[in-house]
Amino acid sequence: MRTGGSKAFFIHTFGCQMNQADSGIITAILQQEGYSAAESEVDAGIILLNTCAVRENAVDRIEHYLQHLHGLKKRHKGLIVGLAGCVPQFQKEEMFSMFPVIDFLAGPDTYRTLPLLIEQARIGLRSSSLDFNPLETYEGIDPVRQGPLSAFVPVMRGCNNMCAFCVVPFTRGRERSHPLSSVISEVRQLVESGYREITLLGQNVNSYCEPEKGTDFATLLDAVSREAPDARIRFTTSHPKDISEALVRVIADRPNICNHIHLPVQSGSSKMLGLMNRGHTIEEYRQKIALIREKIPGVAITTDIIAGFCGEEESDHQATLDLLTDVRFDLAYMFYYSERPGTLAARTLEDDLPESLKKRRLQEIIDLQNSISDKLYQEAVGTVVEVLAESESRRSAQQLMGRTDTNRVVVFDREHYKAGDLLKVRITSSTSATLIGKPDQRADAAS
Ligand code: SAH
Ligand code: SF4
Ligand code: F3S
């Protein structure tokens, strides 16, 4: 038997913040049934992978991991392995024949059945629970949090968009919003427990629509920021077609809502945006950026880019590079296109670019964006920024790391500060992803 016993479980979480939040829900459900969270994989009698299917290499990583678990299970008879999240929802029972090591499959809407799936696995039954439940928001479950400072609060699940490249609508099902009252009571609880940062989560938060009164996201965000006036409020992800003037106004007006918007553009070419079914042109995107920058001075805008989508020509690629140069995003998550079976693109478009070309274009995008981030970060040298200290820096016990309200990572001398402190830091140097500095007491006193 493994050291933690047969009721000890360990979750490996892959993928987006939504999956991280779901792992907290899974932990709570299992703990309620008498299971306990193991410190590490070696202590666990049950290993759960909470998986992501968004790109082929994400799925490859999980398959690789399953091979490792196969070896582990040979040495530890009785070890139970479960696959949760987007991969089983997408590939269904096929996973059982591909990977004999798997004991059960659970989709994002069926986590309440996990204790049953585990019990069935114990008596040798391989079961799956993959139905969508458009009503499931895990109301009434108090998720177990990762740390004492920063918490995710999902406000909606699923996605009703059909971006041509994207598997999420098929893995997460129809969009549903959490009741405003339950979001607010979760936020209140977090405030009472001393949380300093709350991130509202959804695949497309701007389409939040309160199930009873139809309240929109701008109203919800405003209410959350008033409920937690001493905490930093963040949210992700915003779809450019749905970001409203009312939302921009709320961010500008409420001091504790962070001046950061993640606004995935995917491509700088209207032709590509059309093929991707994003529902807006690049001119409309640029207008939204102009509006955001006008109303929220100092705002940081970050984005996602896909290189080499179906039918992308050199001129479309150039349009993406031009957009990056013009907008100067603070940061971008950059990928090359990976066809996902069953998506709109897989059904209707030809994945016609060779991988070498996709990778070349991606590299050009990465090189350009890195040089832009580099310059933006250099421009911050000499300024004083407000930082929420999060943890010890990875490089030195004498330093802490934290973030600005624009979500930039700052590493600074520890002095007498500790995680959870909000302080002013004078920036003395930078790299393309980190600002480095020293606490600035004069600025502290002046604020
Ligand atoms: N809901 C979010 C995105 C979720 S997926 C939104 O609408 O922005 C996160 C990012 O993964 C996407 O923004 C996109 O840039 C990337 N992505 C999604 N599907 C992809 C695919 N098939 N190939 C490459 N990148 C993909
Ligand atoms: Fe995918 Fe588009 Fe939905 Fe985002 S908005 S999850 S990219 S379908
Ligand atoms: Fe991946 Fe599922 Fe999130 S596919 S990006 S874990 S919604």
Side-chain angles (χ1 to χ4, degrees), residues 118-188:
I118 294 172
E119 285 319 306
Q120 286 177 330
R122 266 199 223 295
I123 55 166
L125 284 177
R126 290 177 104 192
S127 7
S128 56
S129 188
L130 298 168
D131 288 338
F132 282 124
N133 176 358
L135 299 176
E136 182 59 278
T137 56
Y138 295 105
E139 179 118 40
I141 294 190
D142 189 10
V144 174
R145 311 278 174 191
Q146 284 287 312
L149 283 182
S150 187
F152 291 132
V153 174
V155 301
M156 58 184 296
R157 296 179 71 84
C159 181
N160 283 359
N161 290 314
M162 263 303 157
C163 303
F165 50 80
C166 186
V167 78
V168 171
F170 305 94
T171 67
R172 294 258 161 192
R174 303 294 294 168
E175 205 171 274
R176 69 219 77 151
S177 296
H178 295 218
L180 186 117
S181 56
S182 73
V183 174
I184 295 294
S185 71
E186 194 170 340
V187 167
R188 189 174 309 134

Side-chain angles (χ1 to χ4, degrees), residues 14-19 51-54 85-86 167-168 171-172 203:
F14 300 81
C16 63
Q17 292 162 325
M18 205 58 144
N19 258 17
T51 61
C52 173
V54 79
C86 293
V167 78
V168 171
T171 67
R172 294 258 161 192
Q203 289 298 344

